[in-house]
């Protein structure tokens, strides 16, 4: 039997809402099921700037936040400020009526502290594990190893698991982590896969001018951070250019290493064939993806990437684009035969596979069709909606 809808409070620190597509989809799903949905998140830099807004029935409370700089200490400052603002706003929302479910999305694994305060009044805690933070730390700060900050991150993850009534995992690898190292009963762990909003990714007519006079267009879409592999893609493209110059490449997105990647492209003498757009509106995004011949997913093999579902892969498939990826466990689970896979971090093979697809339009079309069928079938958001509502049912039933 489904839980009676009540008030749900979603906490997210990593992105603003509705820019965070997964959180926005979850919010809309809960709203449609009758929940009174509140979200606490940071303000965006260029969008999502209002401190409070109600969008499509979802009440969004935002706070100012300066992104981390300067390594781990910068993240300590960022997360401390986010925790203070989140606690402040959660108390304000709680005073207006009991919160039935608090739904915390990591990173960081600090938001359980807000949930613990709310649980004193009978609120149930759903932990939505977007990232495995110990693996994230090892991947982002590879040179530090398992130092005292890594051990602190592990303790915070364990504390979050202990506090949770239910865990939401983005894939089976994350579910296994919750069960094995979190000791969460399997019937309290639900896989809610991220999925693209199909309505957002509708093909339009290709625009050959986006190829800058070349026969082919390569496209990267996504965040540009230390673990996202844009540097691997650029080095692969430098190798590709030694063999052929019949392509133009566009990198869509922004992040911590954006300026460094622009500089790397210049160092590799790719600045005349590689274009960085920064973040762009959806209507421009679909223009590039509709024109692209091959899409790049250069996330290198590391402890986090191997077990994580990459949103860019799902979005490429929604646009029927063939993909070149490194060999990663969850990349294969997501893309299947819609991608070709280079051995882990092998830039030469990544370049070779890219060239192979550029020379085979029939194979590109076959792979694109397979990808589209996957995101509209077994990987569709409609399946994740059912799992999300089942997780809420389980959380509410934990009160008995």
């Amino acid at each position: 039997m489904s839980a009676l809808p009540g008030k749900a409070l979603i906490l997210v620190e990593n992105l603003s809402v509705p820019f965070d597509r997964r959180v926005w989809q979850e919010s809309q799903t809960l709203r449609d099921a009758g929940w009174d949905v509140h979200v606490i998140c940071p303000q965006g830099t260029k969008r999502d700037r209002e401190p409070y807004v109600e969008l499509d029935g979802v009440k969004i409370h935002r706070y100012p936040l300066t992104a981390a700089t300067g390594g781990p200490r910068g993240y300590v400052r960022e997360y401390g400020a986010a925790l203070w603002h989140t606690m402040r706003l959660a108390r304000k929302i709680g005073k207006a009526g009991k919160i039935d479910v608090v739904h915390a999305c990591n990173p960081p694994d600090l938001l359980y502290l807000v949930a613990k305060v709310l649980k004193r009044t009978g609120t149930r805690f759903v932990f939505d594990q977007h990232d495995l933070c110990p693996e994230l730390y090892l991947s982002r700060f590879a040179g530090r190893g398992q130092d005292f900050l890594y051990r602190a991150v592990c303790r915070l993850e364990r504390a979050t698991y202990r506090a949770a009534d239910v865990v939401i995992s983005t894939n089976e690898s994350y579910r296994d982590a919750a069960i094995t190292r979190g000791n969460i009963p399997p019937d309290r762990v639900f896989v809610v896969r991220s999925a693209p909003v199909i309505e957002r990714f509708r093909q339009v007519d290709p625009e050959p001018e986006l190829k800058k006079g070349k026969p082919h267009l390569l496209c990267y879409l996504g965040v540009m951070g230390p673990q996202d592999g844009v540097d691997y893609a650029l080095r692969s493209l430098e190798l590709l250019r030694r063999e052929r110059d019949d392509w133009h490449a566009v990198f869509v997105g922004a992040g911590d290493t954006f300026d460094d990647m622009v500089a790397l492209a210049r160092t590799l003498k790719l600045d005349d064939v590689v274009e960085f757009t920064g973040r762009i509106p959806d209507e421009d995004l679909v223009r590039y993806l509709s024109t692209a011949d091959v899409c790049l997913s250069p996330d290198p093999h590391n402890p986090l990437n191997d077990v994580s579902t990459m949103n860019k892969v799902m979005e490429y498939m929604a646009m029927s684009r063939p993909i070149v990826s490194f060999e990663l466990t969850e990349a294969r689970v997501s893309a299947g035969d819609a991608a070709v896979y280079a051995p882990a971090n092998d830039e030469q093979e990544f370049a070779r596979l890219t060239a192979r697809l550029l020379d085979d339009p029939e194979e590109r079309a076959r792979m694109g069709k397979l990808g589209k069928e996957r995101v509209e079938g077994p990987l569709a958001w409609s399946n994740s909606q059912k799992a999300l509502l089942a997780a809420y049912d389980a959380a509410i039933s934990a009160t008995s």
Side-chain angles (χ1 to χ4, degrees):
M1 183 176 68
S2 296
L4 292 174
K7 181 189 285 189
L9 173 60
I10 301 178
L11 314 178
V12 57
E13 190 275 347
N14 203 34
L15 290 172
S16 63
V17 176
F19 183 69
D20 188 317
R21 297 292 180 176
R22 175 183 171 89
V23 173
W24 186 236
Q25 285 175 300
E26 291 175 328
S27 300
Q28 292 176 306
T29 296
L30 293 167
R31 175 209 61 202
D32 291 346
W35 287 83
D36 176 21
V37 181
H38 294 251
V39 178
I40 296 176
C41 66
Q43 292 173 339
T45 54
K46 295 182 180 179
R47 54 179 292 176
D48 301 342
R49 296 292 302 160
E50 308 95 327
Y52 173 80
V53 65
E54 183 172 338
L55 291 177
D56 298 335
V58 177
K59 304 168 183 68
I60 305 173
H61 311 255
R62 305 191 184 110
Y63 54 85
L65 187 66
T66 301
T69 57
R73 290 185 179 181
Y75 283 95
V76 171
R77 289 192 294 270
E78 175 190 332
Y79 292 159
L83 181 62
W84 185 84
H85 282 295
T86 302
M87 190 77 77
R88 171 180 62 84
L89 290 169
R91 284 173 171 158
K92 178 181 177 182
I93 295 167
K95 287 179 180 178
K98 180 189 171 185
I99 297 167
D100 297 283
V101 173
V102 58
H103 175 156
C105 309
N106 80 334
D109 286 340
L110 280 170
L111 298 177
Y112 84 95
L113 295 170
V114 180
K116 286 189 74 172
V117 171
L118 295 174
K119 287 186 74 170
R120 296 170 187 166
T121 60
T123 299
R124 311 315 295 169
F125 174 28
V126 172
F127 174 35
D128 192 346
Q129 194 166 26
H130 290 191
D131 283 312
L132 297 178
C133 285
E135 284 82 354
L136 175 60
Y137 183 86
L138 291 175
S139 302
R140 196 173 184 92
F141 305 110
R144 298 181 65 94
Q146 297 185 11
D147 62 0
F148 77 99
L149 280 176
Y150 170 79
R151 294 191 294 272
V153 168
C154 291
R155 287 194 292 271
L156 288 172
E157 183 188 68
R158 289 194 295 269
T160 302
Y161 281 139
R162 285 196 300 269
D165 296 295
V166 161
V167 174
I168 289 175
S169 302
T170 57
N171 58 42
E172 291 291 342
S173 295
Y174 279 32
R175 183 175 188 269
D176 289 344
I179 293 169
T180 56
R181 73 191 193 203
N183 295 316
I184 307 296
D187 63 350
R188 295 288 177 179
V189 187
F190 296 81
V191 175
V192 178
R193 297 185 63 91
S194 296
V197 180
I198 297 300
E199 293 74 22
R200 181 186 177 213
F201 293 94
R202 294 293 186 190
Q203 290 193 50
V204 298
D205 291 336
E207 299 181 30
E209 59 270 24
L210 296 178
K211 299 184 179 184
K212 305 296 184 182
K214 301 295 180 69
H216 302 297
L217 181 67
L218 307 174
C219 187
Y220 171 92
L221 163 65
V223 176
M224 298 185 191
Q227 72 272 21
D228 294 303
V230 176
D231 53 335
Y232 284 80
L234 291 172
R235 289 190 294 267
S236 294
L237 294 181
E238 193 274 332
L239 294 171
L240 180 65
R241 194 182 192 188
R242 296 181 192 180
E243 305 297 327
R244 58 197 296 167
D245 62 357
D246 58 347
W247 52 270
H248 180 72
V250 60
F251 286 73
V252 178
D256 298 354
T257 63
F258 179 86
D259 292 337
D260 292 338
M261 294 302 100
V262 173
L264 178 59
R266 190 177 305 116
T267 299
L268 295 173
K269 298 181 180 180
L270 293 172
D271 43 324
D272 60 327
V273 293
V274 171
E275 175 185 355
F276 292 86
T277 69
R279 289 196 178 111
I280 57 177
D282 285 355
E283 54 266 28
D284 291 327
L285 170 62
V286 297
R287 290 171 55 231
Y288 282 109
L289 289 177
S290 295
T291 306
D293 297 287
V294 175
C295 286
L296 309 177
S297 184
D299 307 86
H301 185 283
N302 60 38
L304 179 70
N305 288 347
D306 188 49
V307 295
S308 296
T309 299
M310 304 301 173
N311 288 334
K312 69 174 77 67
V313 169
M314 306 293 290
E315 291 164 352
Y316 296 156
M317 291 194 295
M319 291 294 292
S320 303
R321 301 297 93 179
I323 304 160
V324 182
S325 171
F326 287 122
E327 185 66 64
L328 301 172
T329 298
E330 286 296 335
R332 275 198 179 272
V333 171
S334 296
D337 291 336
V340 291
Y341 304 91
N345 307 350
D346 185 336
E347 295 164 359
Q348 183 72 58
E349 185 65 7
F350 195 96
R352 190 191 72 79
L353 290 173
T354 302
R356 193 186 87 188
L357 288 182
L358 290 180
D359 290 335
D360 195 340
E362 291 184 0
E363 178 67 358
R364 296 201 305 267
R366 185 190 72 84
M367 292 169 62
K369 182 174 182 291
L370 288 173
K372 183 75 166 180
E373 290 172 351
R374 287 180 65 75
V375 296
E376 290 184 343
L379 303 182
W381 177 247
S382 58
N383 297 319
S384 293
Q385 286 178 312
K386 297 172 186 175
L388 174 63
L389 296 178
Y392 266 63
D393 286 351
I396 294 298
S397 70
T399 60
S400 56

